[in-house]
Amino acid sequence: MKHVEIAIIGGGPAGLCAAISAASSGANVLIIERNNKLGGQLVKQTHMFFGSEKQYASTRGIDICNILINKLSKFKDKVEIMTDTTVVGMYEDGVITAMYKEEKYIKIKSEAVIAATGAFEKTLAFPNNDLPGIYGAGAVQTLMNVYGVKPGNKVLMVGAGNIGLIVSYQLMQAGVEVKAILDAAPKIGGYLVHASKIRRMGVPILTRHSVKEAIGKEYLEKAVICELDEKWQPIEGTEKEFDVDVMCISVGLSPLNELLVMRGCEMKYVPQLSGLVPLRDENYETTVGNVFVAGDISGIEEASSAMVEGYLSGLCTAEKIGYKHEKFEELKNDYLNQLDDLRSGAVGKHILEGTKEILVN
Amino acid sequence: MLEKTGIPTEEMIKEVFPSIDRINKGPVAVIECYQKIPCNPCVTACRFNAINIGDDINNLPELDIEKCTGCGMCVSKCPGLSIMLIDGSKSESTILFKIPYEFLPLPEEGTIVKGLNRKGEYITDVDVIKVLNPKSFDRTPVITVEVDRNYLYEFRNIRVEG
Ligand SMILES: Cc1cc2nc3c(=O)[nH]c(=O)nc-3n(C[C@H](O)[C@H](O)[C@H](O)COP(=O)(O)OP(=O)(O)OC[C@H]3O[C@@H](n4cnc5c(N)ncnc54)[C@H](O)[C@@H]3O)c2cc1C
Ligand code: SF4
Ligand code: SF4
């Protein structure tokens, strides 16, 4: 059995910032990451981020990833990193089990845990949605931006949230033709500046539209779409066909929460946070003592807020086990203010409402 | 319109454009950021304090036309690529546009490329005057093109065929 002070599950922006913050408070941390490198979603984000300077706005996600890893390397003697290692269980006695490269199981006992596992992509039900050529947006982005592989030549994007818009833009940058972007909602969900920059490349954005079916023998050859009425029902006779070899499904993410459920954290379904999320206090501690969370696992938001949540959660976790940062109060207030700022606008309002539903004392 | 299609209306566009007088005096920024989002790198980028967002990071950026020197620093820094520069001081019949462009191949100086509107439709041929891609722009090149004045409120993008 391996013993550590703080085990951080997931090395995305939230986990990395939690590690930086806890280590700078004086605690020893172990980051457990299932991929072969750190960074989570950031490793495939080639676009510039929004937010403010404090969250590295205007910097590309891939570069933010390196900035964080660099920051972390300043605490080398306090940080241990295990990549290619997936946490598969969290038990009542505080033991975590993890699997290294499907080769061996490791047992880890820690004083505290920060769960920062992020999210998984939702899918969409329609006939033949299992044909080759139909991908999640995350998979397409990983293929293109991590492995340099074009997913196909003609794409229909389903979902006009930020992810659908950004991945469409990046597909075009890779030389792939995007035929159209659909969304069932009456309005574009993503930032309108993103929508405008894709629209002026000539890609139509069709709101109130959905996929009716996919057609193809061995792989996707055609997509049939249709218009939706006010009640989100297909309107007869509005079908349109697109000759595409890729359909990219980008209809949202859901918190990756199984480990918390297994550990017995009290959970609540909160639509504004996109799924089942843990109840937590202001310090991001769940209803199970010494189990903290940060990032998309506690509600789907953005890397900017995931980083701030990570810093906050790392700071408070370290404090809980006896490593109080000398500027604890000042830092904590700063992080709480940053989160308020990010969530104060029209776009963040639903997140703010959602967080009120899960806040406990 | 904008929130359904991604295309701003003519009124919205004209609202954020400076007066013809100002355009004729020299380069000035046009910020097409119409939605409140938590974002402010344009403010940080401007050394002349010409862009103001106020205390709430969600506010829309406001450009102080008097303070804007047309230096162009904000163009490559906006993650929404919503800022361009326009300059009507060089000729009575054309306008110089500086637009961010993140596609390959980059246009070549001295060539003619297709000028597009906000729907991505071809409107007119435009001359490529300058292609700037220094390290400080962080892989968002800025292209200067000369465009017929008639397309002042329409031109927004280019297509490089090659
Ligand atoms: C296409 C796209 C564009 C985006 N654009 C922006 C943007 O412009 N600005 C912005 O602020 N945000 C953006 N985001 C959102 C942002 O990427 C996420 O909100 C952010 O990455 C969440 O951080 P996280 O650390 O919570 O999760 P993640 O980044 O998902 O990291 C979670 C990590 O945990 C690991 N993990 C999961 N389960 C286990 C396990 N059991 N054991 C070990 N490791 C595990 C995963 O491998 C992953 O590395 C975008 C997202 C996408 C998909
Ligand atoms: S062009 Fe220069 S002076 Fe004008 S707003 Fe942009 S950065 Fe500021
Ligand atoms: S940087 Fe661009 S998207 Fe962000 S507020 Fe300024 S103009 Fe709007």
Side-chain angles (χ1 to χ4, degrees):
Chain A
M1 177 106 61
K2 192 176 168 61
H3 286 264
V4 292
E5 286 180 342
I6 300 176
I8 298 176
I9 310 173
L16 288 173
C17 290
I20 294 167
S21 180
S24 74
S25 303
N28 286 303
V29 302
L30 167 68
I31 303 177
I32 311 162
E33 167 57 54
R34 69 175 170 196
N35 281 333
N36 59 4
K37 57 180 172 194
L38 296 174
Q41 303 284 339
L42 294 179
V43 302
K44 53 189 189 203
Q45 312 299 356
T46 52
H47 59 285
M48 292 185 268
F49 275 32
F50 292 88
S52 81
E53 215 174 3
K54 279 191 172 160
Q55 301 102 32
Y56 313 106
S58 187
T59 305
R60 296 175 191 279
I62 35 173
D63 297 329
I64 297 178
C65 181
N66 291 329
I67 291 173
L68 296 179
I69 291 172
N70 253 330
K71 262 186 140 179
L72 190 64
S73 65
K74 301 215 173 81
F75 304 100
K76 256 198 201 95
D77 51 334
K78 297 234 162 280
V79 181
E80 189 187 342
I81 296 162
M82 292 167 82
T83 48
D84 286 315
T85 310
T86 307
V87 172
V88 290
M90 267 171 77
Y91 302 93
E92 272 174 18
D93 55 4
V95 173
I96 294 170
T97 52
M99 190 170 57
Y100 172 72
K101 280 194 175 169
E102 309 204 350
E103 279 167 12
K104 68 170 187 213
Y105 279 99
I106 308 160
K107 277 192 188 173
I108 300 156
K109 177 108 187 171
S110 65
E111 285 176 44
V113 177
I114 302 173
T117 49
F120 67 95
E121 290 190 278
K122 294 180 193 166
T123 54
L124 196 63
F126 53 85
N128 295 328
N129 71 354
D130 58 350
L131 275 176
I134 303 176
Y135 297 84
V140 164
Q141 212 189 17
T142 306
L143 269 180
M144 270 194 309
N145 298 350
V146 180
Y147 299 106
V149 175
K150 257 166 79 167
N153 295 312
K154 291 180 203 155
V155 178
L156 180 70
M157 178 64 67
V158 184
N162 273 330
I163 298 181
L165 297 174
I166 288 167
V167 175
S168 298
Y169 186 71
Q170 293 174 355
L171 279 160
M172 285 186 276
Q173 286 180 313
V176 177
E177 187 184 351
V178 179
K179 288 280 187 186
I181 304 176
L182 318 179
D183 204 302
K187 286 183 194 165
I188 295 166
Y191 292 162
L192 298 177
V193 281
H194 278 320
S196 296
K197 78 184 184 196
I198 292 147
R199 182 61 250 220
R200 62 177 177 257
M201 297 297 297
V203 179
I205 302 175
L206 307 170
T207 45
R208 269 199 208 293
H209 276 79
S210 192
V211 184
K212 195 169 176 204
E213 65 174 320
I215 298 173
K217 267 209 186 92
E218 309 276 316
Y219 53 86
L220 180 68
E221 290 165 40
K222 269 187 202 334
V224 185
I225 69 161
C226 66
E227 242 177 275
L228 303 179
D229 64 18
E230 318 268 292
K231 293 186 180 122
W232 305 65
Q233 295 307 309
I235 304 175
E236 207 72 44
T238 58
E239 290 80 3
K240 265 190 234 111
E241 277 188 13
F242 284 93
D243 287 325
V244 288
D245 57 354
V246 174
M247 214 193 297
C248 193
I249 310 294
S250 171
V251 293
L253 302 169
S254 244
L256 202 55
N257 51 25
E258 288 89 346
L259 291 169
L260 298 176
V261 175
M262 180 175 187
R263 182 67 179 83
C265 298
E266 233 180 284
M267 309 291 286
K268 186 171 179 181
Y269 183 83
V270 183
Q272 294 97 324
L273 301 176
S274 310
L276 195 65
V277 286
L279 300 184
R280 54 148 182 94
D281 65 12
E282 185 188 71
N283 299 343
Y284 283 75
E285 187 171 5
T286 65
T287 53
V288 173
N290 287 14
V291 175
F292 290 72
V293 288
D296 279 352
I297 188 175
S298 64
I300 304 303
E301 218 175 326
E302 302 248 16
S304 41
S305 39
M307 288 186 275
V308 183
E309 285 187 354
Y311 284 131
L312 177 60
S313 176
L315 187 78
C316 296
T317 310
E319 194 252 2
K320 181 87 191 282
I321 63 163
Y323 295 97
K324 189 168 177 178
H325 197 287
E326 51 182 18
K327 290 192 198 150
F328 180 82
E329 316 292 342
E330 189 189 320
L331 288 170
K332 184 175 165 186
N333 279 330
D334 178 34
Y335 299 145
L336 288 170
N337 287 336
Q338 284 187 49
L339 286 173
D340 279 348
D341 283 352
L342 288 170
R343 292 167 181 163
S344 62
V347 187
K349 213 177 72 195
H350 69 284
I351 302 278
L352 200 63
E353 283 165 14
T355 55
K356 283 189 188 132
E357 301 264 316
I358 53 167
L359 194 66
V360 289
N361 287 319
Chain B
M1 180 82 171
L2 174 64
E3 53 192 23
K4 288 200 175 119
T5 60
I7 309 163
T9 60
E10 205 179 319
E11 295 82 72
M12 293 168 85
I13 297 167
K14 288 197 168 151
E15 188 112 328
V16 295
F17 263 66
S19 68
I20 298 290
D21 274 356
R22 176 63 188 86
I23 296 170
N24 287 342
K25 273 194 196 130
V28 60
V30 176
I31 307 181
E32 289 187 81
C33 185
Y34 305 104
Q35 181 189 32
K36 290 187 162 194
I37 55 174
C39 185
N40 70 6
C42 51
V43 177
T44 321
C46 180
R47 281 176 293 153
F48 302 95
N49 296 320
I51 308 179
N52 186 17
I53 273 190
D55 289 339
D56 182 353
I57 187 174
N58 291 282
N59 287 342
L60 296 183
E62 263 179 45
L63 179 72
D64 185 334
I65 305 271
E66 297 312 314
K67 285 189 187 160
C68 175
T69 63
C71 74
M73 275 316 292
C74 52
V75 175
S76 68
K77 289 287 175 276
C78 166
L81 305 190
S82 70
I83 310 182
M84 61 180 183
L85 235 62
I86 50 173
D87 177 2
S89 68
K90 300 283 187 287
S91 145
E92 276 176 19
S93 59
T94 60
I95 300 275
L96 291 180
F97 281 79
K98 276 190 186 9
I99 56 164
Y101 186 76
E102 296 183 319
F103 289 85
L104 290 173
L106 285 176
E108 275 176 41
E109 289 175 10
T111 60
I112 294 175
V113 296
K114 304 279 176 219
L116 312 179
N117 64 13
R118 287 174 178 75
K119 292 181 190 160
E121 293 163 346
Y122 168 75
I123 44 174
T124 181
D125 285 349
V126 301
D127 292 316
V128 181
I129 308 295
K130 194 126 207 85
V131 177
L132 282 179
N133 190 15
K135 215 164 177 213
S136 60
F137 285 8
D138 189 21
R139 291 154 285 176
T140 302
V142 175
I143 317 293
T144 309
V145 289
E146 189 165 5
V147 183
D148 186 326
R149 244 176 216 259
N150 290 323
Y151 300 106
L152 175 62
Y153 300 111
E154 271 178 77
F155 171 82
R156 191 59 180 80
N157 195 14
I158 54 169
R159 186 167 63 228
V160 182
E161 279 163 357

